[in-house]
Amino acid sequence: MFAWFLFPSVMKTDLELALECAINIYHQYAIRNPMDDYLSRNEFSMLLKENAKPFLSDTYIKQLFAKSDSNHDGRLKFTEFLTTLSLVAIDAHNRSHKQPGDHGHDHGDGHSHGHGHSQHH
Ligand SMILES: [Ca+2]
């Protein structure tokens, strides 16, 4: 009975699957043009346009790219792509909490300033 050892990780959790999916998608686009292990601006915008919701405008994509490209070399390595994912996830999470008719006072940058009374120093 060695069969069990052949399938050590058949049962994947949703989170494992999601992470795997992120890695696969990254590679799928990184090897396009040019063929390397980085996402060029072009590959990045294709990835988002083909896999994300249409609410992602070019401006939004540009901002995401700029925020994620932390070493400013004009392309995203995998760790930088993870920044993109976390930004998109934070955004999606904020959207999920948006009340209808509430225009939302913070823009999801994580800079919550509380209620602004007390704590001046
Ligand atoms: Ca970079």
Side-chain angles (χ1 to χ4, degrees), residues 69 71 73 75 80:
D69 185 12
N71 63 1
D73 65 353
R75 56 189 192 175
E80 291 171 332

Side-chain angles (χ1 to χ4, degrees), residues 48-49 51-56:
L48 288 180
K49 285 189 170 161
N51 296 280
K53 301 272 195 265
F55 66 74
L56 295 179

Side-chain angles (χ1 to χ4, degrees), residues 25-84:
I25 264 181
Y26 174 82
H27 280 143
Q28 243 178 65
Y29 284 83
I31 61 166
R32 286 189 179 192
N33 185 33
M35 188 174 154
D36 53 17
D37 200 30
Y38 295 91
L39 286 178
S40 67
R41 259 171 227 279
N42 213 10
E43 289 164 342
F44 179 72
S45 115
M46 273 194 304
L47 186 158
L48 288 180
K49 285 189 170 161
E50 290 170 16
N51 296 280
K53 301 272 195 265
F55 66 74
L56 295 179
S57 66
D58 285 336
T59 322
Y60 182 83
I61 290 175
K62 252 184 220 162
Q63 282 173 356
L64 266 183
F65 190 95
K67 279 186 197 167
S68 307
D69 185 12
S70 46
N71 63 1
H72 306 288
D73 65 353
R75 56 189 192 175
L76 300 187
K77 54 189 169 183
F78 186 67
T79 50
E80 291 171 332
F81 179 60
L82 288 178
T83 308
T84 309

